[in-house]
Amino acid sequence: MKDYINYNEWLIVEKGFDPGLNRVSESIFSIGNGKMGQRANFEEKYSGDSLRGSYVAGIYYPDKTRVGWWKNGYPEYFAKIINSTNWIGINFNINGIELDLAKAKILAFTRILNMQHGLLIRTFIAELENGNRVEVNAQRFVSIDHTAIGVLRYSIKALNFSGEIKITPYLDGDVFNEDSNYNEKFWIETEKKIDGRKGFLTLETLKTKFRICTGMNFRILKNGVEADSQVISSEKEKYIEATQNVMVNEDDILTIEKYTATVTSLDYPVEKLNTETLKWVDLAVKTGFDLLFENHKNCWLRKWETSDIIIEGDVAAQQGIRYNIFQLNQTYTGEDERLNIGPKGFTGEKYGGVTYWDTEAYCLPFYLSTSTQDVAKKLLIYRHRHLTKAIENAQKLGFENGAALYPMVTINGEECHNEWEITFEEIHRNGAIAYAIYNYVNYTGDKEYLAPYGFEVLLGISRFWSQRVNWSEDKQKYVMLGVTGPNEYENNVNNNFHTSYMAVWTLKYTLEVVEYLQKEYPYLYNELISKWKFNAIKETSRWKDIIEKMYFPFDEKRQIYLQQDGFLDKEIIPVSELPASQRPINQKWSWDRILRSCYIKQADTLQSMFWFENNFTTEELKRHFDFYEPITVHESSLSPCVHAILAAKIGYVEKSYEMYLRTSRLDLDDYNNDTEDGLHITSMGGTWMSFVMGFGGLRAGNNQLVLNPFLPGKWKSYQFRVNYRGAHLILKKEKDKLTIVNDSSISVPLLVWGKQVTLEGNSSKEFLK
């Protein structure tokens, strides 16, 4: 755990520069707009340790799988959202010396991320090797108003010298991914042009043939007046630049405004990329930095109007939740159903920046409650678009009859994860996708989504579960063999509770959907029977048999479900007894030792308890939490949020707060010592859930919102907002009361602390407790 980020309600602040923390800060201060994102790399040259990263949504490279032992069914590649053209770069040469903070003496340094306005700011004072001192103020943003545009303003003041400053803005496409399996570069150049200050660079990905064009223009002001010195432009492979030399006296300030645009062949015909890019560049220059930022800022303020959470009395918690909301809002906007949410978003290379089950399990609730309904719906449509590929994935593993296995990792529907124990075994992901359909329909009331989209996905998944189980003569039960649950510190286990529970639940829910379609959409249902060759009587009969006779490992003594067969053969030693020097175990222990231990990476059995809490009594939830929480190391970013919500449910207020603070500040404080690889974007959805579903006690069910809020001890109050079926609610919890404002014309049925009430449109109500 690191503790160098200053507490502030709206700002992320780093005071002083530690090169050893630079990669962590590059992740923490990342910015994006749903279409592209940029790590917080320096604009000027930096020869120290850095992970340079500029990423564009949907543009990927299929990096050939690298394994020691190839197995049938292995994916041929791992899809990666690849590092693209560096658009922020500006080189500075001051009286013959390069400005490079790895070589200069840093006298002052501050980096600020303004979350309210979506602005990255960096200021520093540096002394160069020749004794020249400069004071720099750099600001940049990627526009949410015009998502092709990225803009920066860089001011440099001569503090103690006169002379010449050579300024060279550039575009550099000769970039690479550190995680390239074969040390390849993934781009080739197709075209470039630089004329004075204005130019463009067009690249094409190997294999996938995506094209990306980045354009730039800039202007330089000296003490607020345009500098008119000569501009010399040049180019080389995958690179263009323009250089302007400006003479300065002591206290003179040079300001460089660099305007860029990035467009891709996903959105424009290849033959129009260059012209469209330059149109966006021209628009940016014409609009100017200040107005571009004003429009961008207003877009951010509108986002905060529907998603902000306010905490009174705890700055660390306040900063944490806003940071998570900020990153979620700048990673996915729901404007393009071809896109999804990578575990690292636009902040790093790890996990390839592509889709995992995290989206359905942890991110969907945030977008359901803070955005319009269509934003969340597009996340479901994304999976429906990939149904054919999911069926092909299952066929590769030997499944038949339209069984669908959704990939563990994908960008186009094909499985591309290249670790066998996850690719072949971590099949609980299918259950998460099925649960997301239920979650969406239950929250929005949009049952029409089931006909046909939801049903088609559920049918494919149910067929998979039906074939994946087998009958055990010994147990006289159906069993699920050779799987990996959410706890990836166990591999190739039998009868993982969560996986088996998800299979049974999916079959039950699909039966409910079949009954609904038969009643409400009989003609469409008959068409679907024909389209999918659905033998309703035979297939549903088997599903019902599986539901009735599924085996779940259970310990009679403790009265708990076991994570998997044989779990109690392990030596059960609480995490609290592990020396701090051995944590995190995934960085300190051998894999063999981890697999033999009792330690749980993330919520596994408790994941089912969270999703299906109504199927268990409070006492049952407590027994399971009391057993599993002490042996959970939370070395997955997805773990603390589930424990926070369950702890709140069973009345463990202090534990709930502890887990919330951990998940909300996971990256800000680098709890797991891995933030340098990029942020944990999908777990940030879990942070929102831990607040709203944990402290707020929010649930949706029986066509109403259920609320059982409480106030953590040190807080004076909190306030959050949710959208629900067209209504917008503002909920404020204070010590002895809850106030709910319905900021819409739509009435909302509520169940507050067990009391049934309807909150009429444009009204408010207080509840005392």
Side-chain angles (χ1 to χ4, degrees):
M1 178 178 172
K2 301 175 179 67
D3 186 18
Y4 71 97
I5 298 298
N6 291 216
Y7 290 168
N8 187 287
E9 292 184 351
W10 277 110
L11 306 176
I12 307 300
V13 181
E14 174 188 16
K15 288 281 191 180
F17 179 62
D18 181 347
L21 296 174
N22 187 45
R23 287 195 181 216
V24 176
S25 293
E26 287 177 337
S27 298
I28 288 174
F29 291 84
S30 295
I31 55 175
N33 63 9
K35 277 289 197 179
M36 63 178 177
Q38 173 71 46
R39 284 174 61 84
N41 309 124
F42 297 163
E43 292 86 358
E44 75 279 356
K45 179 180 178 179
Y46 182 68
S47 59
D49 186 43
S50 171
L51 175 63
R52 299 209 67 90
S54 178
Y55 310 101
V56 179
I59 303 298
Y60 71 95
Y61 176 79
D63 202 8
K64 184 179 177 182
T65 298
R66 186 168 189 166
V67 292
W69 179 19
W70 190 271
K71 298 174 178 64
N72 289 335
Y74 248 161
E76 295 182 0
Y77 65 89
F78 187 80
K80 295 175 178 176
I81 300 293
I82 54 180
N83 191 11
S84 61
T85 302
N86 174 13
W87 58 269
I88 65 171
I90 309 175
N91 288 330
F92 293 88
N93 188 291
I94 300 167
N95 286 331
I97 302 295
E98 279 188 316
L99 176 58
D100 180 351
L101 292 188
K103 298 177 180 179
K105 182 179 180 181
I106 301 173
L107 304 177
F109 183 97
T110 302
R111 185 161 19 191
I112 299 172
L113 178 60
N114 184 322
M115 298 181 287
Q116 190 173 27
H117 301 153
L119 181 67
L120 176 61
I121 304 165
R122 185 168 56 98
T123 63
F124 64 85
I125 298 173
E127 183 178 290
L128 279 61
E129 300 153 68
N130 58 8
N132 292 171
R133 290 186 178 184
V134 293
E135 181 178 353
V136 168
N137 184 308
Q139 303 179 34
R140 73 172 184 254
F141 62 93
V142 285
S143 173
I144 288 185
D145 186 41
H146 296 303
T147 55
I149 293 175
V151 188
L152 65 89
R153 173 184 279 165
Y154 193 106
S155 296
I156 182 167
K157 182 178 181 179
L159 292 179
N160 66 345
F161 67 92
S162 299
E164 182 181 68
I165 298 182
K166 179 180 177 183
I167 304 164
T168 307
Y170 63 86
L171 298 176
D172 184 9
D174 192 22
V175 295
F176 63 93
N177 274 49
E178 285 192 359
D179 66 350
S180 171
N181 285 345
Y182 296 90
N183 297 317
E184 295 178 280
K185 291 185 177 180
F186 302 142
W187 295 102
I188 59 172
E189 177 192 303
T190 62
E191 194 174 354
K192 62 176 177 283
K193 182 179 181 181
I194 179 72
D195 184 8
R197 299 181 178 89
K198 183 177 177 181
F200 68 84
L201 175 65
T202 305
L203 306 174
E204 181 179 88
T205 56
L206 299 172
K207 298 183 181 179
T208 46
K209 304 298 182 183
F210 293 114
R211 288 203 182 180
I212 180 171
C213 182
T214 305
M216 77 168 186
N217 201 342
F218 66 93
R219 64 179 189 146
I220 298 176
L221 305 176
K222 177 180 175 180
N223 300 325
V225 179
E226 191 103 22
D228 58 0
S229 52
Q230 183 183 10
V231 177
I232 301 173
S233 56
S234 63
E235 58 185 53
K236 57 183 179 181
E237 185 181 3
K238 293 188 278 191
Y239 180 93
I240 62 171
E241 69 176 25
T243 298
Q244 189 168 351
N245 296 347
V246 183
M247 300 302 297
V248 296
N249 294 315
E250 186 174 327
D251 291 331
D252 280 350
I253 299 175
L254 299 183
T255 300
I256 303 91
E257 293 180 350
K258 184 178 181 184
Y259 300 91
T260 73
T262 300
V263 303
T264 77
S265 54
L266 286 175
D267 299 316
Y268 294 95
V270 168
E271 63 274 11
K272 293 184 177 181
L273 276 185
N274 302 343
T275 56
E276 291 296 331
T277 300
L278 293 180
K279 283 181 184 178
W280 283 111
V281 171
D282 290 343
L283 174 65
V285 173
K286 181 179 178 181
T287 307
F289 184 96
D290 292 330
L291 184 54
L292 284 170
F293 175 66
E294 185 68 20
N295 295 337
H296 166 78
K297 180 182 75 174
N298 288 335
C299 288
W300 266 111
L301 293 175
R302 287 193 292 273
K303 283 183 177 291
W304 287 113
E305 284 177 1
T306 60
S307 61
D308 191 22
I309 290 176
I310 300 171
I311 300 171
E312 186 183 7
D314 190 339
V315 177
Q318 176 68 85
Q319 184 184 50
I321 191 63
R322 279 192 173 136
Y323 182 69
N324 284 251
I325 293 169
F326 172 78
Q327 292 294 344
L328 287 165
N329 276 329
Q330 71 172 5
T331 299
Y332 181 77
T333 61
E335 295 176 3
D336 189 338
E337 65 186 33
R338 298 169 299 177
L339 304 179
N340 206 279
I341 306 160
K344 295 290 183 184
F346 300 115
T347 70
E349 298 174 4
K350 194 173 182 182
Y351 303 122
V354 291
T355 307
Y356 286 64
W357 68 286
D358 308 19
T359 293
E360 285 78 15
Y362 301 98
C363 295
L364 181 67
F366 171 79
Y367 296 103
L368 274 173
S369 295
T370 64
S371 302
T372 56
Q373 181 175 312
D374 65 300
V375 171
K377 188 174 184 177
K378 284 176 182 173
L379 290 173
L380 272 63
I381 291 173
Y382 177 91
R383 293 295 192 178
H384 183 267
R385 286 165 57 94
H386 291 170
L387 177 57
T388 300
K389 290 289 187 182
I391 292 171
E392 291 175 5
N393 289 336
Q395 288 173 344
K396 291 176 183 177
L397 301 185
F399 295 89
E400 303 172 335
N401 189 35
L405 175 59
Y406 277 89
M408 186 66 182
V409 182
T410 193
I411 195 167
N412 60 7
E414 292 181 318
E415 177 64 77
C416 67
H417 199 289
N418 49 28
E419 295 177 21
W420 68 270
E421 68 274 13
I422 292 176
T423 303
F424 301 147
E425 294 184 355
E426 203 164 335
I427 54 178
H428 67 85
R429 63 206 189 231
N430 252 13
I433 292 164
Y435 184 79
I437 296 171
Y438 161 80
N439 204 4
Y440 169 81
V441 173
N442 179 57
Y443 194 88
T444 64
D446 180 18
K447 284 193 169 185
E448 290 185 2
Y449 181 76
L450 298 170
Y453 300 122
F455 168 74
E456 291 183 327
V457 171
L458 290 168
L459 175 62
I461 293 174
S462 293
R463 283 172 160 175
F464 172 82
W465 290 131
S466 180
Q467 295 175 45
R468 185 58 173 78
V469 301
N470 64 273
W471 179 254
S472 167
E473 286 293 336
D474 179 63
K475 289 182 170 61
Q476 288 294 294
K477 294 279 188 180
Y478 288 98
V479 294
M480 185 88 70
L481 307 180
V483 301
T484 296
N487 172 26
E488 293 170 341
Y489 290 175
E490 301 275 5
N491 299 150
N492 198 30
V493 302
N494 294 336
N495 300 308
N496 170 259
F497 175 81
H498 177 68
T499 306
S500 297
Y501 202 90
M502 291 307 304
V504 168
W505 175 85
T506 303
L507 296 175
K508 287 180 181 178
Y509 183 53
T510 307
L511 287 172
E512 292 177 14
V513 172
V514 167
E515 184 178 344
Y516 169 75
L517 293 180
Q518 286 174 325
K519 181 180 179 181
E520 300 294 334
Y521 297 91
Y523 295 109
L524 175 60
Y525 176 67
N526 287 331
E527 290 177 7
L528 292 171
I529 287 177
S530 176
K531 175 182 178 181
W532 293 103
K533 298 180 175 57
F534 179 40
N535 188 330
I537 295 176
K538 181 180 178 181
E539 293 190 57
T540 60
S541 176
R542 176 169 169 81
W543 297 352
K544 291 173 184 177
D545 198 46
I546 294 169
I547 292 167
E548 181 184 349
K549 300 172 183 176
M550 192 70 180
Y551 168 74
F552 298 101
F554 187 78
D555 177 44
E556 294 291 345
K557 179 181 177 181
R558 294 174 177 82
Q559 288 291 294
I560 60 170
Y561 288 102
L562 298 177
Q563 184 176 276
Q564 75 259 351
D565 282 350
F567 188 79
L568 290 179
D569 291 336
K570 296 172 179 287
E571 188 177 9
I572 308 298
I573 303 173
V575 176
S576 60
E577 296 184 16
L578 282 177
S581 61
Q582 295 188 30
R583 301 282 307 280
I585 63 172
N586 62 13
Q587 297 174 24
K588 304 291 186 178
W589 286 11
S590 69
W591 193 243
D592 167 74
R593 187 179 180 187
I594 290 173
L595 290 175
R596 288 186 287 108
S597 79
C598 68
Y599 299 120
I600 298 171
K601 180 184 178 185
Q602 71 185 76
D604 195 307
T605 303
L606 294 185
Q607 184 75 41
S608 289
M609 301 285 163
F610 160 52
W611 273 343
F612 306 108
E613 61 181 29
N614 291 335
N615 296 346
F616 304 93
T617 67
T618 300
E619 284 305 312
E620 286 176 317
L621 294 175
K622 281 185 177 180
R623 283 200 300 272
H624 286 85
F625 189 89
D626 290 346
F627 179 76
Y628 286 110
E629 209 290 321
I631 55 176
T632 302
V633 290
H634 298 294
E635 289 175 9
S636 165
S637 64
L638 303 174
S639 185
C641 64
V642 174
H643 286 240
I645 297 166
L646 280 174
K649 170 72 175 178
I650 61 180
Y652 292 180
V653 175
E654 290 184 6
K655 175 59 72 172
S656 180
Y657 176 78
E658 174 196 336
M659 290 290 100
Y660 161 76
L661 203 61
R662 176 166 180 155
T663 187
S664 70
R665 299 193 63 85
L666 183 78
D667 287 311
L668 290 176
D669 296 336
D670 196 14
Y671 267 89
N672 289 345
N673 197 33
D674 60 0
T675 300
E676 65 180 27
D677 299 328
L679 303 176
H680 299 82
I681 299 298
T682 47
S683 80
M684 293 177 174
T687 300
W688 181 90
M689 289 195 303
S690 70
F691 190 103
V692 174
M693 301 179 71
F695 305 142
L698 178 73
R699 305 290 190 274
N702 299 319
N703 296 307
Q704 63 183 355
L705 278 184
V706 180
L707 289 155
N708 291 286
F710 69 90
L711 195 66
K714 65 184 293 187
W715 295 2
K716 296 178 181 178
S717 71
Y718 64 73
Q719 176 180 295
F720 65 91
R721 300 164 176 262
V722 293
N723 294 325
Y724 180 70
R725 301 192 178 186
H728 182 70
L729 304 181
I730 305 169
L731 304 95
K732 184 173 184 178
K733 179 69 178 80
E734 298 171 273
K735 183 177 180 181
D736 299 316
K737 67 178 179 179
L738 170 70
T739 304
I740 306 178
V741 177
N742 187 347
D743 193 19
S744 69
S745 60
I746 300 170
S747 61
V748 180
L750 302 170
L751 185 65
V752 182
W753 290 315
K755 181 180 179 180
Q756 198 87 40
V757 64
T758 297
L759 186 61
E760 301 297 336
N762 299 309
S763 69
S764 63
K765 189 171 180 63
E766 286 188 356
F767 302 85
L768 301 179
K769 186 173 180 178

